[in-house]
Amino acid sequence: MILALDTSAAVAVSLLDGDDVRASRTEHAPRGHAELLSGLIRDCMEEAGCARGDIGSIVVGTGPAPFTGLRVGLVTARTLGFAWGVPVHGTCSLDAIGAALADQVELTVVSDARRKELYWATYREGERVAGPDVAHPADVPVVGALAGPGAGLYPEALPGGTVVDVDPAWLARVVARRLAAGETDLPTEPLYLRRPDVHGIPGA
């Protein structure tokens, strides 16, 4: 089974058996990532009747996102992977939305970068073709439809967007497809894209 999690925007967890989602949880709590994540993982595993020995791999979204929330997900994934002796694979969090909306020939996915900016990436039939990067709303190079956690934040600059959360199940499907294609380097390094909001933190 695959444990997939993302803390780039909401705190979200999915547990998959192959391609099938056995349990999932999502909570919107901008400052509650650390408190919520372990509980959501436990709830998903209990709902699915899954023991830690049943987990064969872990998938985690690598952002882009602000420093603190993203770090919680990445550290949790790495810690569980080490403790359980299973591989941990990472991919850009926006890839989940690109894959989920692959029926859109062209798609721009945006999420909140704070500081009156947005993270963005563009997709063609589910595959990322540009980004991720960060820009002011008026400077986001929108191609095709607009969707993502940040799609409704700046309607004057970016009208007509559809607000969509990152679904970790789709992160797991993206990773599975890349592994099947022979990719072996799916790092869990965070995509901050700029200096963290809080300076002076070791490793920031």
Short mmCIF file of all heavy atoms in Angstrom, two decimals, residues 52-109:
data_model
loop_
_atom_site.label_atom_id
_atom_site.label_comp_id
_atom_site.label_asym_id
_atom_site.label_seq_id
_atom_site.Cartn_x
_atom_site.Cartn_y
_atom_site.Cartn_z
N ARG A 52 1.40 -0.66 9.87
CA ARG A 52 2.56 -0.02 9.25
C ARG A 52 3.35 -0.99 8.37
O ARG A 52 3.97 -0.58 7.39
CB ARG A 52 3.46 0.59 10.31
CG ARG A 52 4.15 -0.37 11.23
CD ARG A 52 4.84 0.38 12.34
NE ARG A 52 6.18 -0.12 12.61
CZ ARG A 52 7.02 0.42 13.48
NH1 ARG A 52 6.66 1.49 14.16
NH2 ARG A 52 8.23 -0.06 13.65
N GLY A 53 3.30 -2.27 8.68
CA GLY A 53 3.98 -3.25 7.85
C GLY A 53 3.35 -3.45 6.49
O GLY A 53 3.96 -4.06 5.61
N ASP A 54 2.12 -2.93 6.31
CA ASP A 54 1.45 -3.02 5.02
C ASP A 54 1.87 -1.92 4.06
O ASP A 54 1.57 -1.98 2.86
CB ASP A 54 -0.07 -2.95 5.20
CG ASP A 54 -0.62 -4.09 6.04
OD1 ASP A 54 -0.11 -5.22 5.89
OD2 ASP A 54 -1.54 -3.85 6.84
N ILE A 55 2.54 -0.88 4.57
CA ILE A 55 2.95 0.25 3.74
C ILE A 55 4.21 -0.12 2.97
O ILE A 55 5.23 -0.46 3.56
CB ILE A 55 3.21 1.51 4.60
CG1 ILE A 55 1.98 1.87 5.42
CG2 ILE A 55 3.65 2.68 3.72
CD1 ILE A 55 0.78 2.28 4.60
N GLY A 56 4.12 -0.04 1.64
CA GLY A 56 5.27 -0.38 0.81
C GLY A 56 6.08 0.81 0.36
O GLY A 56 7.26 0.67 0.01
N SER A 57 5.46 2.00 0.36
CA SER A 57 6.18 3.21 -0.03
C SER A 57 5.40 4.42 0.44
O SER A 57 4.21 4.33 0.79
CB SER A 57 6.38 3.28 -1.55
OG SER A 57 5.13 3.39 -2.22
N ILE A 58 6.09 5.56 0.46
CA ILE A 58 5.49 6.83 0.86
C ILE A 58 5.73 7.84 -0.24
O ILE A 58 6.83 7.91 -0.81
CB ILE A 58 6.09 7.33 2.19
CG1 ILE A 58 5.79 6.33 3.32
CG2 ILE A 58 5.55 8.71 2.55
CD1 ILE A 58 6.52 6.64 4.62
N VAL A 59 4.71 8.62 -0.55
CA VAL A 59 4.80 9.70 -1.54
C VAL A 59 4.49 11.01 -0.84
O VAL A 59 3.55 11.08 -0.04
CB VAL A 59 3.82 9.47 -2.71
CG1 VAL A 59 3.75 10.70 -3.61
CG2 VAL A 59 4.23 8.24 -3.52
N VAL A 60 5.28 12.03 -1.14
CA VAL A 60 5.06 13.33 -0.49
C VAL A 60 5.18 14.46 -1.50
O VAL A 60 6.02 14.43 -2.40
CB VAL A 60 6.08 13.53 0.67
CG1 VAL A 60 7.52 13.52 0.16
CG2 VAL A 60 5.79 14.81 1.44
N GLY A 61 4.30 15.45 -1.36
CA GLY A 61 4.39 16.64 -2.20
C GLY A 61 5.52 17.53 -1.74
O GLY A 61 5.69 17.77 -0.54
N THR A 62 6.30 18.03 -2.68
CA THR A 62 7.48 18.84 -2.36
C THR A 62 7.24 20.33 -2.54
O THR A 62 8.17 21.12 -2.53
CB THR A 62 8.67 18.41 -3.23
OG1 THR A 62 8.34 18.56 -4.61
CG2 THR A 62 9.05 16.96 -2.96
N GLY A 63 5.99 20.73 -2.67
CA GLY A 63 5.68 22.13 -2.87
C GLY A 63 5.59 22.47 -4.36
O GLY A 63 5.39 21.57 -5.17
N PRO A 64 5.72 23.73 -4.70
CA PRO A 64 6.20 24.85 -3.89
C PRO A 64 5.18 25.29 -2.84
O PRO A 64 3.98 25.15 -3.03
CB PRO A 64 6.42 25.95 -4.92
CG PRO A 64 5.47 25.63 -6.03
CD PRO A 64 5.41 24.15 -6.09
N ALA A 65 5.73 25.81 -1.74
CA ALA A 65 4.90 26.27 -0.63
C ALA A 65 5.76 27.06 0.33
O ALA A 65 6.99 26.96 0.29
CB ALA A 65 4.28 25.07 0.09
N PRO A 66 5.12 27.83 1.22
CA PRO A 66 5.88 28.49 2.28
C PRO A 66 6.62 27.48 3.13
O PRO A 66 6.23 26.31 3.24
CB PRO A 66 4.78 29.22 3.07
CG PRO A 66 3.70 29.46 2.07
CD PRO A 66 3.71 28.24 1.20
N PHE A 67 7.64 27.95 3.81
CA PHE A 67 8.62 27.08 4.46
C PHE A 67 8.03 26.16 5.52
O PHE A 67 8.19 24.94 5.47
CB PHE A 67 9.71 27.96 5.09
CG PHE A 67 10.79 27.20 5.81
CD1 PHE A 67 11.80 26.58 5.11
CD2 PHE A 67 10.78 27.11 7.19
CE1 PHE A 67 12.80 25.88 5.76
CE2 PHE A 67 11.77 26.42 7.85
CZ PHE A 67 12.78 25.80 7.14
N THR A 68 7.32 26.71 6.50
CA THR A 68 6.99 25.95 7.71
C THR A 68 6.06 24.79 7.43
O THR A 68 6.32 23.65 7.81
CB THR A 68 6.37 26.88 8.77
OG1 THR A 68 7.27 27.96 9.02
CG2 THR A 68 6.11 26.12 10.06
N GLY A 69 4.93 25.04 6.78
CA GLY A 69 3.98 23.97 6.52
C GLY A 69 4.55 22.87 5.66
O GLY A 69 4.35 21.67 5.93
N LEU A 70 5.27 23.24 4.62
CA LEU A 70 5.85 22.24 3.73
C LEU A 70 6.84 21.36 4.46
O LEU A 70 6.89 20.14 4.26
CB LEU A 70 6.53 22.94 2.56
CG LEU A 70 7.12 22.04 1.48
CD1 LEU A 70 6.03 21.18 0.84
CD2 LEU A 70 7.84 22.88 0.42
N ARG A 71 7.63 21.96 5.34
CA ARG A 71 8.64 21.20 6.06
C ARG A 71 8.02 20.09 6.91
O ARG A 71 8.57 19.00 7.03
CB ARG A 71 9.44 22.15 6.96
CG ARG A 71 10.55 21.45 7.75
CD ARG A 71 11.32 22.43 8.61
NE ARG A 71 10.47 23.09 9.59
CZ ARG A 71 10.93 23.90 10.53
NH1 ARG A 71 12.22 24.19 10.58
NH2 ARG A 71 10.10 24.46 11.39
N VAL A 72 6.84 20.35 7.48
CA VAL A 72 6.18 19.34 8.32
C VAL A 72 5.92 18.07 7.53
O VAL A 72 6.20 16.96 7.98
CB VAL A 72 4.86 19.91 8.89
CG1 VAL A 72 4.04 18.80 9.56
CG2 VAL A 72 5.15 21.02 9.88
N GLY A 73 5.37 18.21 6.33
CA GLY A 73 5.08 17.04 5.52
C GLY A 73 6.32 16.29 5.09
O GLY A 73 6.37 15.05 5.14
N LEU A 74 7.35 17.02 4.69
CA LEU A 74 8.57 16.39 4.21
C LEU A 74 9.30 15.66 5.34
O LEU A 74 9.77 14.52 5.16
CB LEU A 74 9.48 17.43 3.57
CG LEU A 74 8.95 18.04 2.27
CD1 LEU A 74 9.82 19.22 1.85
CD2 LEU A 74 8.90 17.00 1.17
N VAL A 75 9.39 16.30 6.50
CA VAL A 75 10.07 15.66 7.63
C VAL A 75 9.30 14.42 8.08
O VAL A 75 9.89 13.37 8.38
CB VAL A 75 10.24 16.65 8.79
CG1 VAL A 75 10.68 15.93 10.06
CG2 VAL A 75 11.25 17.73 8.43
N THR A 76 7.98 14.52 8.11
CA THR A 76 7.16 13.36 8.49
C THR A 76 7.36 12.21 7.53
O THR A 76 7.54 11.05 7.95
CB THR A 76 5.68 13.75 8.56
OG1 THR A 76 5.50 14.78 9.54
CG2 THR A 76 4.81 12.56 8.91
N ALA A 77 7.33 12.49 6.23
CA ALA A 77 7.50 11.42 5.24
C ALA A 77 8.87 10.76 5.37
O ALA A 77 8.98 9.52 5.35
CB ALA A 77 7.32 11.99 3.84
N ARG A 78 9.90 11.56 5.51
CA ARG A 78 11.25 10.99 5.63
C ARG A 78 11.40 10.19 6.91
O ARG A 78 12.02 9.11 6.91
CB ARG A 78 12.29 12.11 5.59
CG ARG A 78 12.39 12.85 4.26
CD ARG A 78 13.22 14.09 4.43
NE ARG A 78 13.33 14.86 3.21
CZ ARG A 78 13.80 16.11 3.16
NH1 ARG A 78 14.20 16.70 4.28
NH2 ARG A 78 13.88 16.74 2.01
N THR A 79 10.85 10.70 8.01
CA THR A 79 10.96 10.00 9.29
C THR A 79 10.25 8.66 9.25
O THR A 79 10.79 7.63 9.69
CB THR A 79 10.39 10.87 10.42
OG1 THR A 79 11.12 12.11 10.47
CG2 THR A 79 10.51 10.17 11.76
N LEU A 80 9.02 8.64 8.71
CA LEU A 80 8.28 7.39 8.61
C LEU A 80 8.97 6.41 7.66
O LEU A 80 9.03 5.21 7.93
CB LEU A 80 6.85 7.66 8.16
CG LEU A 80 5.95 8.40 9.14
CD1 LEU A 80 4.58 8.64 8.53
CD2 LEU A 80 5.81 7.62 10.44
N GLY A 81 9.50 6.94 6.56
CA GLY A 81 10.21 6.07 5.62
C GLY A 81 11.40 5.40 6.26
O GLY A 81 11.64 4.19 6.06
N PHE A 82 12.14 6.14 7.06
CA PHE A 82 13.30 5.58 7.76
C PHE A 82 12.86 4.56 8.81
O PHE A 82 13.41 3.47 8.91
CB PHE A 82 14.10 6.70 8.41
CG PHE A 82 15.27 6.23 9.21
CD1 PHE A 82 16.46 5.85 8.57
CD2 PHE A 82 15.21 6.13 10.59
CE1 PHE A 82 17.55 5.39 9.31
CE2 PHE A 82 16.29 5.68 11.33
CZ PHE A 82 17.47 5.31 10.68
N ALA A 83 11.84 4.94 9.60
CA ALA A 83 11.39 4.05 10.67
C ALA A 83 10.78 2.77 10.14
O ALA A 83 10.95 1.69 10.74
CB ALA A 83 10.38 4.79 11.56
N TRP A 84 10.05 2.87 9.03
CA TRP A 84 9.37 1.70 8.48
C TRP A 84 10.19 0.96 7.43
O TRP A 84 9.79 -0.10 6.96
CB TRP A 84 8.03 2.12 7.86
CG TRP A 84 7.05 2.68 8.85
CD1 TRP A 84 7.15 2.67 10.21
CD2 TRP A 84 5.83 3.36 8.54
NE1 TRP A 84 6.06 3.28 10.78
CE2 TRP A 84 5.23 3.72 9.79
CE3 TRP A 84 5.17 3.68 7.36
CZ2 TRP A 84 4.01 4.39 9.86
CZ3 TRP A 84 3.96 4.36 7.43
CH2 TRP A 84 3.39 4.71 8.66
N GLY A 85 11.32 1.53 7.04
CA GLY A 85 12.18 0.88 6.06
C GLY A 85 11.58 0.80 4.68
O GLY A 85 11.73 -0.22 3.98
N VAL A 86 10.91 1.88 4.25
CA VAL A 86 10.29 1.90 2.92
C VAL A 86 10.78 3.12 2.15
O VAL A 86 11.17 4.13 2.74
CB VAL A 86 8.75 1.92 3.02
CG1 VAL A 86 8.24 0.67 3.74
CG2 VAL A 86 8.25 3.18 3.73
N PRO A 87 10.75 3.06 0.81
CA PRO A 87 11.20 4.21 0.02
C PRO A 87 10.24 5.37 0.11
O PRO A 87 9.03 5.19 0.29
CB PRO A 87 11.26 3.66 -1.41
CG PRO A 87 10.31 2.50 -1.42
CD PRO A 87 10.38 1.90 -0.04
N VAL A 88 10.80 6.57 -0.01
CA VAL A 88 10.01 7.80 0.00
C VAL A 88 10.27 8.54 -1.31
O VAL A 88 11.43 8.80 -1.66
CB VAL A 88 10.38 8.71 1.19
CG1 VAL A 88 9.52 9.97 1.18
CG2 VAL A 88 10.21 7.96 2.51
N HIS A 89 9.21 8.86 -2.03
CA HIS A 89 9.33 9.53 -3.32
C HIS A 89 8.63 10.89 -3.26
O HIS A 89 7.55 11.01 -2.67
CB HIS A 89 8.69 8.70 -4.43
CG HIS A 89 9.21 7.31 -4.53
ND1 HIS A 89 10.51 7.02 -4.89
CD2 HIS A 89 8.61 6.11 -4.30
CE1 HIS A 89 10.69 5.71 -4.90
NE2 HIS A 89 9.56 5.13 -4.54
N GLY A 90 9.23 11.90 -3.88
CA GLY A 90 8.63 13.22 -3.90
C GLY A 90 8.32 13.69 -5.30
O GLY A 90 8.92 13.23 -6.27
N THR A 91 7.36 14.61 -5.39
CA THR A 91 7.07 15.27 -6.66
C THR A 91 6.41 16.61 -6.37
O THR A 91 5.86 16.82 -5.28
CB THR A 91 6.18 14.42 -7.57
OG1 THR A 91 6.13 14.99 -8.89
CG2 THR A 91 4.76 14.31 -7.03
N CYS A 92 6.47 17.52 -7.30
CA CYS A 92 5.85 18.83 -7.18
C CYS A 92 4.37 18.68 -6.82
O CYS A 92 3.64 17.94 -7.49
CB CYS A 92 6.02 19.59 -8.50
SG CYS A 92 5.11 21.15 -8.60
N SER A 93 3.95 19.37 -5.78
CA SER A 93 2.56 19.25 -5.32
C SER A 93 1.55 19.64 -6.40
O SER A 93 0.47 19.04 -6.50
CB SER A 93 2.35 20.13 -4.08
OG SER A 93 3.18 19.71 -3.02
N LEU A 94 1.88 20.62 -7.22
CA LEU A 94 0.95 21.07 -8.26
C LEU A 94 0.71 19.99 -9.31
O LEU A 94 -0.30 20.03 -10.02
CB LEU A 94 1.49 22.34 -8.92
CG LEU A 94 1.77 23.52 -7.99
CD1 LEU A 94 2.27 24.72 -8.79
CD2 LEU A 94 0.56 23.89 -7.16
N ASP A 95 1.63 19.01 -9.39
CA ASP A 95 1.47 17.92 -10.35
C ASP A 95 0.19 17.13 -10.10
O ASP A 95 -0.38 16.54 -11.03
CB ASP A 95 2.66 16.97 -10.30
CG ASP A 95 3.94 17.58 -10.85
OD1 ASP A 95 3.87 18.69 -11.43
OD2 ASP A 95 5.01 16.96 -10.69
N ALA A 96 -0.25 17.08 -8.84
CA ALA A 96 -1.47 16.34 -8.52
C ALA A 96 -2.67 16.93 -9.25
O ALA A 96 -3.52 16.21 -9.77
CB ALA A 96 -1.71 16.35 -7.01
N ILE A 97 -2.75 18.26 -9.28
CA ILE A 97 -3.87 18.92 -9.94
C ILE A 97 -3.73 18.81 -11.44
O ILE A 97 -4.71 18.57 -12.16
CB ILE A 97 -3.97 20.38 -9.48
CG1 ILE A 97 -4.23 20.42 -7.97
CG2 ILE A 97 -5.06 21.13 -10.24
CD1 ILE A 97 -4.11 21.79 -7.35
N GLY A 98 -2.50 18.96 -11.95
CA GLY A 98 -2.28 18.78 -13.37
C GLY A 98 -2.72 17.41 -13.85
O GLY A 98 -3.36 17.27 -14.91
N ALA A 99 -2.42 16.38 -13.06
CA ALA A 99 -2.80 15.01 -13.44
C ALA A 99 -4.30 14.79 -13.29
O ALA A 99 -4.94 14.15 -14.13
CB ALA A 99 -2.02 14.01 -12.59
N ALA A 100 -4.89 15.32 -12.20
CA ALA A 100 -6.32 15.14 -11.97
C ALA A 100 -7.15 15.80 -13.06
O ALA A 100 -8.25 15.33 -13.39
CB ALA A 100 -6.70 15.69 -10.61
N LEU A 101 -6.65 16.90 -13.63
CA LEU A 101 -7.36 17.64 -14.67
C LEU A 101 -6.70 17.45 -16.03
O LEU A 101 -6.66 18.36 -16.85
CB LEU A 101 -7.42 19.13 -14.30
CG LEU A 101 -8.11 19.45 -12.97
CD1 LEU A 101 -8.10 20.96 -12.72
CD2 LEU A 101 -9.53 18.91 -12.94
N ALA A 102 -6.19 16.25 -16.27
CA ALA A 102 -5.46 15.98 -17.51
C ALA A 102 -6.35 16.06 -18.74
O ALA A 102 -5.85 16.12 -19.87
CB ALA A 102 -4.81 14.59 -17.44
N ASP A 103 -7.69 16.07 -18.54
CA ASP A 103 -8.58 16.23 -19.69
C ASP A 103 -8.52 17.64 -20.26
O ASP A 103 -8.96 17.88 -21.38
CB ASP A 103 -10.01 15.88 -19.30
CG ASP A 103 -10.53 16.72 -18.15
OD1 ASP A 103 -9.72 17.15 -17.30
OD2 ASP A 103 -11.75 16.97 -18.10
N GLN A 104 -7.96 18.58 -19.48
CA GLN A 104 -7.71 19.93 -19.99
C GLN A 104 -6.45 19.89 -20.86
O GLN A 104 -5.39 19.51 -20.39
CB GLN A 104 -7.49 20.92 -18.85
CG GLN A 104 -8.67 21.05 -17.91
CD GLN A 104 -9.80 21.86 -18.52
OE1 GLN A 104 -9.61 22.61 -19.48
NE2 GLN A 104 -10.99 21.70 -17.97
N VAL A 105 -6.59 20.26 -22.11
CA VAL A 105 -5.43 20.21 -23.00
C VAL A 105 -4.31 21.08 -22.45
O VAL A 105 -3.14 20.68 -22.42
CB VAL A 105 -5.82 20.64 -24.43
CG1 VAL A 105 -4.58 20.67 -25.33
CG2 VAL A 105 -6.86 19.69 -25.00
N GLU A 106 -4.67 22.28 -22.00
CA GLU A 106 -3.69 23.17 -21.38
C GLU A 106 -4.27 23.69 -20.07
O GLU A 106 -5.46 24.01 -19.98
CB GLU A 106 -3.34 24.33 -22.31
CG GLU A 106 -2.57 23.88 -23.55
CD GLU A 106 -2.18 25.04 -24.44
OE1 GLU A 106 -3.06 25.89 -24.71
OE2 GLU A 106 -1.01 25.11 -24.86
N LEU A 107 -3.41 23.78 -19.06
CA LEU A 107 -3.87 24.13 -17.72
C LEU A 107 -2.77 24.87 -16.98
O LEU A 107 -1.60 24.48 -17.04
CB LEU A 107 -4.22 22.85 -16.96
CG LEU A 107 -4.62 22.99 -15.49
CD1 LEU A 107 -6.00 23.63 -15.37
CD2 LEU A 107 -4.62 21.61 -14.81
N THR A 108 -3.15 25.92 -16.26
CA THR A 108 -2.23 26.61 -15.36
C THR A 108 -2.72 26.39 -13.94
O THR A 108 -3.88 26.67 -13.62
CB THR A 108 -2.18 28.12 -15.67
OG1 THR A 108 -1.76 28.32 -17.02
CG2 THR A 108 -1.21 28.83 -14.73
N VAL A 109 -1.84 25.88 -13.09
CA VAL A 109 -2.18 25.59 -11.69
C VAL A 109 -1.48 26.61 -10.80
O VAL A 109 -0.28 26.87 -10.97
CB VAL A 109 -1.75 24.16 -11.30
CG1 VAL A 109 -2.10 23.88 -9.84
CG2 VAL A 109 -2.41 23.14 -12.22
#
